[in-house]
Amino acid sequence: MFNNLYDIFSGVLNNIYNVFLAVWWLILPLFLFVVGWRLWMIYIRTLFVKNIEWKLLEIKIPKEILKTPKAMEQVFASLYSSYSYGPNKYAKYWDGKVEPWFSFEMVGYSGGVYFYAYVPDKNKNMVESSVYSQYPDAEISEIDDYTDLLPAYLPNEVYDIWGTELHLANENYLPIRTYFYFEESDEDKRLDPLSAIAEAMSKLKKDELIWLQLLISPTGEQTGNEWVKEGREKIDKIVGRKKEENKKEPFLDIYSWSKNFLWAPVEHPTWPSLEKKEKEEKPKILSPDEQELVKAIDNKISRLGFEAFIRFVYIDRRDSFSPANVGAVMGAFHQFNTQNLNRFKPKNITFFDSLFARIFSRYKNFRVLLKKRRMFDYYKQRKFGKYNKTRKEEFSILNTEELATIFHFPTIMVGAPKVRHIEAKKGSPPPGLPIE
């Protein structure tokens, strides 16, 4: 029996080998072309990304902001204009051009809470004009990178870090809880979803740092807007709307016409298409939960979308490292979660655990160190995903309303005492002032 199986197996391998010998001259060049093309695209995209000039902008805000996060939603909507609607073939396959991305950052020190925007130099004016259009009293200045104040590599013997990335847990067409949920007509009852994070940052002691980074890149034809299509299909499924089928049956049409022609003197003509319409089901009556789900999906896919994710890093001295601050920030993001729609889940957390790691603790510590240093390096580089747009990756899709909920300038309701504000308002010179 074993001899028979061996003969059969060896015969199959021999046939495969003979086929390969016959067609290798066709398969091998095709394989090398595919591999070479992918390596070329990775190379030119990496080169393109490395040549991007970046600017770090600090945004100082007035002490009393009466505007809701709706103003920040308009800022993000303006940034969608950076989308190129797909670079031409020369720019894509020879220059390696990729769509731009932006990093909006909220940073907490013992001395205060700061707001930054890390943007490509060519988009600097667009970002400034978008912010000034909604916050005319704000001040924007170009500064040196605050991440350079720390050692090049962390953790080290003095400092330790904890970090993670936050992505959507469910389908992209399902929204998180947005700022409309926190708004009330009565100002005394109105809430700011940013207040919990700002309070956690305002209570940091010396040498403690909380870094939050919201990285976004406009979607469009390049990503196919599949999330919009999936959302519409989900709505059609909930309401019971079926796609119209334009299948024609010529034989059935000829039979129906002949039958109606012969029996017309004694019987009223009937057509299958009319009978099908009469048999169509009545409109489906949706439950309150289904109505809420349809409205939520429709509201999200009706707005402009961005590929997005959040990167969170906490840094402190090893002898005073406080996990409570990690829990405070992570807990603040729970206010955006809903059980029936969408929520944030951590990804690439800087700890490592497995059965193999438990057995070999030295291996575990080494892996944890690598993950922490990679997270710190990704934050400093403002790296968009793992491959930095050099290769295809899956990202969460957030629309402008969701982005404005996560990142906006604190309103007057936020009581955090250390939020960085404009100390004195600058006034413009009076018209007609002599200059000589």
Side-chain angles (χ1 to χ4, degrees), residues 278-289:
E278 293 176 357
K279 293 180 180 180
E280 285 182 354
E281 297 181 358
K282 296 181 180 180
K284 182 180 178 181
I285 299 177
L286 303 181
S287 66
D289 290 341

Side-chain angles (χ1 to χ4, degrees), residues 25 33 36 58 96 145 157 161 210 281 295 304 322 409 428:
W25 55 271
F33 174 78
E58 181 184 1
D145 194 348
E157 295 179 354
I161 77 168
I210 290 180
E281 297 181 358
K295 290 179 181 178
L304 298 174
S322 177
F409 304 121
S428 58

Side-chain angles (χ1 to χ4, degrees), residues 17 19 49 69 76 82 99 113 120 127 135 155 171 196 224 236 255-256 282 304 341 384 410 415 436:
Y17 178 71
V19 171
V49 170
F76 286 119
S82 64
E99 295 297 335
V113 181
V127 174
Y135 301 94
E171 290 81 1
D236 292 341
Y255 170 77
S256 301
K282 296 181 180 180
L304 298 174
L341 295 174
F384 196 80
E436 292 184 1

Side-chain angles (χ1 to χ4, degrees), residues 3 110 181 355 376 410:
N3 291 334
S110 59
Y181 175 84
L355 179 61
F376 181 72

Side-chain angles (χ1 to χ4, degrees), residues 6-26:
Y6 175 77
D7 293 338
I8 294 173
F9 184 70
S10 60
V12 171
L13 291 180
N14 188 48
N15 291 335
I16 294 175
Y17 178 71
N18 291 332
V19 171
F20 177 76
L21 288 178
V23 299
W24 70 269
W25 55 271
L26 180 62

Side-chain angles (χ1 to χ4, degrees), residues 69 182 190-196 335 408-414:
F182 303 92
R190 189 177 299 170
L191 304 175
D192 191 325
L194 210 62
S195 58
Q335 64 185 324
H408 60 270
F409 304 121
T411 59
I412 194 173
M413 286 83 70
V414 177

Side-chain angles (χ1 to χ4, degrees), residues 29 43 123 206 262:
Y43 168 73
N123 300 119
K206 185 179 179 181
L262 294 174

